[in-house]
Amino acid sequence: MSDENLPVKAEEQHGTDLVVAEPIPDPGLEPHEPRITDIDPKAADRVERQVSAMFGFATLLVLGACVAYFAIPRHSILEFGPLSGNANNMVMGLCIGLALFLIGAGAIQWAKKLMVDEEIAEDRHAAHSSPEQIAEITEAFKQGAAESGFGRRKMIRNSLIGALGALGLPAIVFLRDLGPLPGRSLYNTIWAKGIRVVNDVTDRPIKPSDLIVGQLVNAAPANLAPMQESDPVGYQNAKAKAAVIVVRIKPSEIRTKPGRENWGVDGILCYSKICTHVGCPISLYEQTTHHVLCPCHQSTFDLSDAAKVVFGPAARPLPQLPLAVDSEGYLVAQSGFTEPVGPSFFERG
């Protein structure tokens, strides 16, 4: 076998220096072939019109998605043989999808046909940049901006800005699907003066004599159950906010907060069942300490001391519902909650 047929060694030792040879010779760069748009101004103008048309059509498709959002009924169905789908969603999705496709295709066509076509190679450098390199990069950026023709080709620039700007319209229009603003609904529940406290399982009104010291009962307002058939959605929302726990503690062990001296009945106190951290339901009760624990993140509240937080991430006590006894001896609310129930929100802090 001749020497010329031997494989090239990756490493060769010359004296004390280790010389690393490339296993494959550098093929170099092929001769640069000019594009038709580089030598024919008419071809360049034709491509410019094509790219601008893509961007312009993308703008129309985005506007079409906004129109479809309002014009097509929400529950209308499109059928394609055995397949079917919501017409509103399908038309909006197709319009926005095609708009994004045309913007991408136009950008690729612009880069391949009109931007400066040069092949360059650069050696790998250190991760950090020297001041000279930063200045060089800045100058290269300016040069690239000039070579892209973004400032010179106004038709492409303006149509691209229009298409990208139009993409923001669906984001604004579709905010309508978030539903109406909550207004004061986060502050209020269906609890009101005179509403009886009923057992959450049996829906039976609760009398003070039904509870023994140390007992905790899950409860709800008496006006909740009738909503289950007449307004199922409203029922779920109301139950999520109005659920309460009723506990009986020895009066001598209760530390009453000023202004709440008459909020309990013979040691019977009522608090929101919804944790003030992220809204999990609370019912893990420890009789000896009067602590109730949230199972989600272990926020712990002392029911004998206005349900203040004694452990965990919750930032405020459980809201307390003022109790009284009606003429028939049943527990009723003196009023609704005096503060919002559940987790804190922006206005609540």
Side-chain angles (χ1 to χ4, degrees), residues 104-116:
I108 293 173
Q109 184 79 338
W110 179 12
K112 292 179 65 69
K113 297 295 183 65
L114 295 177
M115 292 185 183
V116 174

Side-chain angles (χ1 to χ4, degrees), residues 34-202:
R35 303 167 301 184
I36 185 64
T37 52
D38 294 332
I39 58 179
D40 185 356
K42 291 184 178 180
D45 292 340
R46 183 168 59 252
V47 171
E48 181 178 3
R49 290 192 296 270
Q50 293 171 355
V51 174
S52 299
M54 292 183 190
F55 292 157
F57 192 45
T59 303
L60 295 178
L61 286 169
V62 172
L63 295 176
C66 296
V67 172
Y69 179 82
F70 294 102
I72 300 177
R74 293 301 180 88
H75 302 293
S76 59
I77 301 297
L78 283 179
E79 296 184 357
F80 301 94
L83 303 177
S84 63
N86 183 280
N88 190 287
N89 292 339
M90 292 181 65
V91 173
M92 289 191 300
L94 286 173
C95 287
I96 294 178
L98 287 174
L100 291 172
F101 171 79
L102 288 175
I103 291 176
I108 293 173
Q109 184 79 338
W110 179 12
K112 292 179 65 69
K113 297 295 183 65
L114 295 177
M115 292 185 183
V116 174
D117 180 30
E118 293 182 1
E119 296 172 340
I120 57 176
E122 183 179 5
D123 294 333
R124 182 176 296 177
H125 52 75
H128 62 87
S129 300
S130 64
E132 293 78 11
Q133 290 173 325
I134 294 175
E136 182 181 354
I137 291 171
T138 303
E139 181 61 30
F141 176 80
K142 294 179 179 178
Q143 180 181 353
E147 291 176 349
S148 69
F150 189 78
R152 178 168 55 87
R153 298 186 181 276
K154 297 182 179 180
M155 184 184 298
I156 288 181
R157 180 190 64 195
N158 295 340
S159 58
L160 175 61
I161 292 174
L164 294 178
L167 281 176
L169 291 177
I172 298 174
V173 173
F174 298 167
L175 287 176
R176 180 173 178 267
D177 271 353
L178 294 178
L181 294 175
R184 299 289 300 179
S185 63
L186 295 177
Y187 289 84
N188 304 316
T189 68
I190 61 174
W191 283 104
K193 183 178 180 179
I195 299 297
R196 285 181 174 177
V197 182
V198 300
N199 188 294
D200 188 34
V201 178
T202 64

